Amino acid sequence: MALWNEIGNRLTYLFRRSRFDGELEEEIQLHIQARADELEQAGLSPVDALLQARREFGSTLHTREETRSAWQMRWLEDLGSDLRYAARALRRNLTMTLAAVGSLALGIGANTTVFSVAREALFSEPSCRDPKSLVQISLSDGNWIPMPQYRFLDAAHAFDGLAGMNIGMVVNWRDGNRTYRLAGTHVTDSFFEVVGIPVALGRPIERGESAVAVVTYGFWKKRLGGDPNVLGRVLVLDGKPYTVVGVLPRDHRMLAGFGFTPDLYLTKDPMEVMLYARLPRGMTRQAASARLKPICQELDRVYPDVNRKWVEAIRLSAAGGMDRLQEEGGIAMPVVAFFGMLVVVTGIVMLIACANVSSLLLARAFTRSREFAIRMSLGGSRGRLIRQLLAESLLLALLGTGAGLLLNLWLTRLLSGLHIPTPLPIELLIQPDRMLLAYSVGIAFVVTLATGLAPALKGTRTGIGGALKEGGRQTGPAGSTLRNALVIGQLAVSIVLLSAGLLFLRNLISATSFNAGFDTTHTVVAMLQTARGSYTPQKFAALVDSALERLRALPGVEAASPANAMPLNPFLAFSRAGGQLRPDAGSRAVRVEYNSNSVGPDYFRVMGIAIQQGRTFLDSDRPGAPEVVILNEN
């Protein structure tokens, strides 16, 4: 209790210093006057009595210092005193101060901006109720669950709720006489209830509803003009009317993470879904997995699959944040490596800025060697001088970090809300938070030591006599060696960064002119997306044949062919099929994974892809004929 009282008294003194000093001064004068009154009664004159009382009392300054020390946090008082002195010293050399702060601001601003972007892309929590109790149910060979299996799991009631979604589904929006392709997310009618996604306007999708949609804030503002009467508006999507029932908040982050942002959520059961479950209160993922095991055994019996055993392949993982990133390391590793590289590069830039400032402080410390010698001859210790110089470095680091954070806020405001042109729309909503503040405090501490420690140690090593004789102009071999090392280090790191930048630029230029293995200059791609359920396979095949005939009849068109996916398509790379294949009759079946594309007969002619052996597809290679396949050389 006494310790807490002492801490409380010391904190009180920090905020009531002037009142305390006034009361202390009154107390000192009261003691002196009381003693003077006693001496005056003993026969001394009033003037002599007052002088005698002051002599007996001693130094009032010493008394004030002794009394204050019982109330002060000495280290905090010394820090404040050092920072005030450092501020005056830096103000006297304003050009050097501005150069140092500007250099640090650029390095710290770039580093903290990359940190903010990486944290938003990798570690942001999804916009949902209690994300800790929400888990994703997936398979060891992929995240997608077929709808029949989803309904089977939902009927088992193993969790407090089960919901599915399919991201990146292309939706045709008919607006007047024009049609737009939108990035829609198809969800089950239980999705909003189970996940607990908040809405800014209207209400979420409810169980039992169909033909309704919830639009995102960006779609509402940009495509619908921010219409305040948007609720109840009918959108024609894939040829069917959908009623808008809600608008999501501006800072909505979907469960898929990585900044994926669809245009709208639709109540539409897709072929397969990413499955999410709400765990009962107090249940761990291990307990949920144990509860799921007998259900998966029954699932294997009802839906037998030679390529997969559900009881062995099913897994439960976190729905967001750091846990999801750790559990999905294989998928997220390229993104993590990319941002890690950016953090390292900007960290090196920041260290170059620190070396620049350290060189300035080192030169300044040697020009002040005469000042340091005089202060040491008057009783100042070397440790006290080092602390003073570190206070100057701390002040520069704080100013540089503050300016860097302002740069960070400006850059992240430019990046926040920016749509990145990828097959799935990506929009990062970057906002300053406690993690950015904590990271900046750590940066300021590192910068203080990186910029100030070496100059403080080297600048105060010169002896008193030598510094006074040389008039403060000496630098010494140690100072020259350190400055040379800083310069060499800056040059070396700068050359590495410039070389890496030139290599990146060269590769970027090469990427635009390299031989992709197919014709990229005379080929035009047209995307065709029909409303689901509006065409039977036979009608769709007839539509494609009719479109191809009309295309081939156009002047300048040499050939045309359908294809399920374009080359270099990221989704083609991610969608790896797997199965038991038997290379030759009587051979042992092997498990393989592969990427595939379904194409028309003229595809290789259109793309300019040579056939090394065998033949291309023919018009006769249609359903009912012997199945054929073309392999790549690998």
Side-chain angles (χ1 to χ4, degrees):
M1 183 62 71
L3 176 62
W4 288 110
N5 288 336
E6 181 180 352
I7 294 175
N9 290 334
R10 291 178 184 270
L11 290 175
T12 302
Y13 173 75
L14 286 176
F15 302 102
R16 299 175 59 188
R17 181 194 303 269
S18 58
R19 180 178 175 182
F20 178 87
D21 289 344
E23 292 175 353
L24 177 60
E25 184 63 29
E26 291 178 5
E27 187 75 16
I28 291 174
Q29 295 302 324
L30 180 63
H31 278 282
I32 293 176
Q33 189 60 48
R35 179 56 180 161
D37 291 342
E38 291 179 1
L39 293 174
E40 189 176 348
Q41 290 177 4
L44 293 178
S45 65
V47 175
D48 293 338
L50 186 59
L51 291 174
Q52 179 65 25
R54 286 175 176 170
R55 282 193 294 269
E56 292 180 1
F57 188 84
S59 172
T60 56
L61 179 61
H62 180 72
T63 302
R64 291 191 191 95
E65 292 294 329
E66 288 256 332
T67 306
R68 288 195 189 102
S69 64
W71 293 81
Q72 290 175 333
M73 290 185 175
R74 194 65 193 175
W75 64 271
L76 194 57
E77 295 285 336
D78 290 342
L79 178 60
S81 175
D82 289 342
L83 289 176
R84 287 191 294 272
Y85 183 85
R88 292 194 298 270
L90 294 176
R91 190 168 60 244
R92 287 195 296 269
N93 197 344
L94 196 57
T95 302
M96 188 277 294
T97 302
L98 292 177
V101 171
S103 181
L104 291 176
L106 292 175
I108 294 173
N111 188 262
T112 54
T113 299
V114 170
F115 172 81
S116 297
V117 174
R119 185 174 184 276
E120 172 64 24
L122 300 177
F123 308 120
S124 60
E125 291 286 349
S127 299
C128 64
R129 181 185 70 252
D130 188 17
K132 297 296 183 183
S133 65
L134 194 67
V135 296
Q136 180 179 359
I137 301 177
S138 58
L139 302 173
S140 58
D141 56 352
N143 292 333
W144 301 99
I145 308 293
M147 284 302 294
Q149 283 82 341
Y150 156 71
R151 295 190 181 95
F152 186 93
L153 293 172
D154 190 27
H157 301 293
F159 306 97
D160 280 354
L162 204 64
M165 73 171 183
N166 193 319
I167 63 174
M169 300 292 290
V170 176
V171 179
N172 290 327
W173 174 37
R174 185 72 173 176
D175 185 25
N177 295 324
R178 301 194 63 180
T179 300
Y180 302 92
R181 298 176 73 247
L182 304 179
T185 295
H186 296 180
V187 298
T188 59
D189 59 358
S190 61
F191 182 78
F192 279 82
E193 177 187 327
V194 172
V195 178
I197 295 177
V199 293
L201 189 65
R203 62 172 178 82
I205 297 171
E206 298 176 349
R207 285 184 183 268
E209 285 190 314
S210 61
V212 294
V214 172
V215 300
T216 58
Y217 182 88
F219 180 80
W220 174 58
K221 293 293 287 187
K222 297 174 184 177
R223 295 295 186 96
L224 303 180
D227 181 12
N229 300 316
V230 68
L231 300 181
R233 179 171 173 175
V234 176
L235 304 178
V236 179
L237 305 171
D238 286 344
K240 297 180 180 180
Y242 283 79
T243 303
V244 177
V245 297
V247 178
L248 295 173
R250 170 72 179 84
D251 59 351
H252 171 72
R253 296 176 175 87
M254 78 176 308
L255 285 173
F258 301 108
F260 291 148
T261 306
D263 292 313
L264 37 77
Y265 289 82
L266 306 175
T267 51
K268 197 172 185 179
D269 287 346
M271 298 292 292
E272 53 187 8
V273 293
M274 299 172 68
L275 198 58
Y276 294 91
R278 177 71 63 181
L279 297 181
R281 184 180 297 275
M283 177 178 286
T284 63
R285 271 185 281 165
Q286 291 75 14
S289 297
R291 176 182 289 190
L292 202 58
K293 187 161 290 188
I295 300 174
C296 291
Q297 291 174 345
E298 182 65 15
L299 192 60
D300 284 327
R301 188 187 66 81
V302 176
Y303 297 99
D305 188 343
V306 296
N307 297 320
R308 176 191 298 141
K309 291 293 184 181
W310 277 75
V311 71
E312 299 173 356
I314 202 160
R315 64 175 185 176
L316 271 64
S317 57
M322 178 69 77
D323 293 339
R324 179 186 63 187
L325 196 65
Q326 292 174 344
E327 292 166 0
E328 296 184 359
I331 300 175
M333 190 54 64
V335 183
V336 174
F338 172 74
F339 281 111
M341 179 193 67
L342 290 182
V343 170
V344 170
V345 169
T346 54
I348 292 175
V349 172
M350 187 179 68
L351 289 179
I352 292 176
C354 290
N356 286 331
V357 176
S358 184
S359 297
L360 291 174
L361 293 179
L362 183 63
R364 185 167 180 269
F366 281 117
T367 61
R368 299 171 62 189
S369 57
R370 183 179 177 84
E371 171 196 341
F372 297 155
I374 293 174
R375 292 175 64 179
M376 292 175 69
S377 66
L378 294 176
S381 65
R382 186 188 178 205
R384 185 69 179 83
L385 293 178
I386 291 175
R387 194 178 72 185
Q388 178 64 64
L389 293 176
L390 286 177
E392 295 183 13
S393 302
L394 174 61
L395 189 57
L396 285 175
L398 293 175
L399 292 173
T401 303
L405 284 177
L406 291 177
L407 182 61
N408 169 280
L409 294 177
W410 179 68
L411 290 174
T412 53
R413 180 171 295 181
L414 292 179
L415 295 174
S416 186
L418 180 67
H419 281 272
I420 302 175
T422 54
L424 275 180
I426 294 178
E427 180 181 353
L428 299 177
L429 304 173
I430 309 169
Q431 297 174 343
D433 55 9
R434 290 177 296 177
M435 287 299 295
L436 176 61
L437 180 61
Y439 184 77
S440 301
V441 170
I443 288 288
F445 178 75
V446 171
V447 168
T448 299
L449 295 180
T451 59
L453 187 59
L457 293 175
K458 295 294 184 181
T460 58
R461 182 173 292 180
T462 306
I464 296 175
L468 293 176
K469 288 178 183 178
E470 295 293 333
R473 292 186 297 273
Q474 67 178 15
T475 58
S480 299
T481 302
L482 179 58
R483 284 204 304 275
N484 292 338
L486 288 173
V487 171
I488 293 172
Q490 290 177 70
L491 287 174
V493 175
S494 299
I495 289 172
V496 170
L497 286 179
L498 286 174
S499 301
L502 289 174
L503 287 173
F504 176 81
L505 183 61
R506 190 191 70 176
N507 291 339
L508 185 62
I509 295 173
S510 300
T512 62
S513 58
F514 82 115
N515 182 11
F518 54 89
D519 186 1
T520 60
T521 57
H522 303 92
T523 308
V524 177
V525 177
M527 305 295 295
L528 176 64
Q529 177 72 23
T530 61
R532 179 171 295 180
S534 58
Y535 283 86
T536 63
Q538 293 77 16
K539 287 180 62 179
F540 183 73
L543 173 66
V544 172
D545 289 340
S546 174
L548 289 173
E549 288 180 7
R550 296 174 62 183
L551 284 173
R552 289 164 182 157
L554 292 176
V557 175
E558 296 182 3
S561 173
N564 189 50
M566 293 183 294
L568 305 180
N569 188 314
F571 295 103
L572 184 64
F574 293 152
S575 302
R576 294 183 65 83
Q580 299 285 344
L581 298 186
R582 194 182 303 276
D584 297 295
S587 300
R588 181 176 58 86
V590 294
R591 168 78 180 180
V592 297
E593 292 185 355
Y594 54 89
N595 302 119
S596 64
N597 193 7
S598 299
V599 301
D602 281 342
Y603 176 79
F604 295 96
R605 178 188 170 197
V606 171
M607 300 299 292
I609 300 175
I611 300 295
Q612 300 294 332
Q613 298 181 39
R615 63 173 177 86
T616 62
F617 294 127
L618 305 175
D619 288 333
S620 58
D621 295 322
R622 289 185 173 271
E627 296 181 344
V628 293
V629 64
I630 295 177
L631 308 178
N632 68 13
E633 192 170 9
N634 288 333

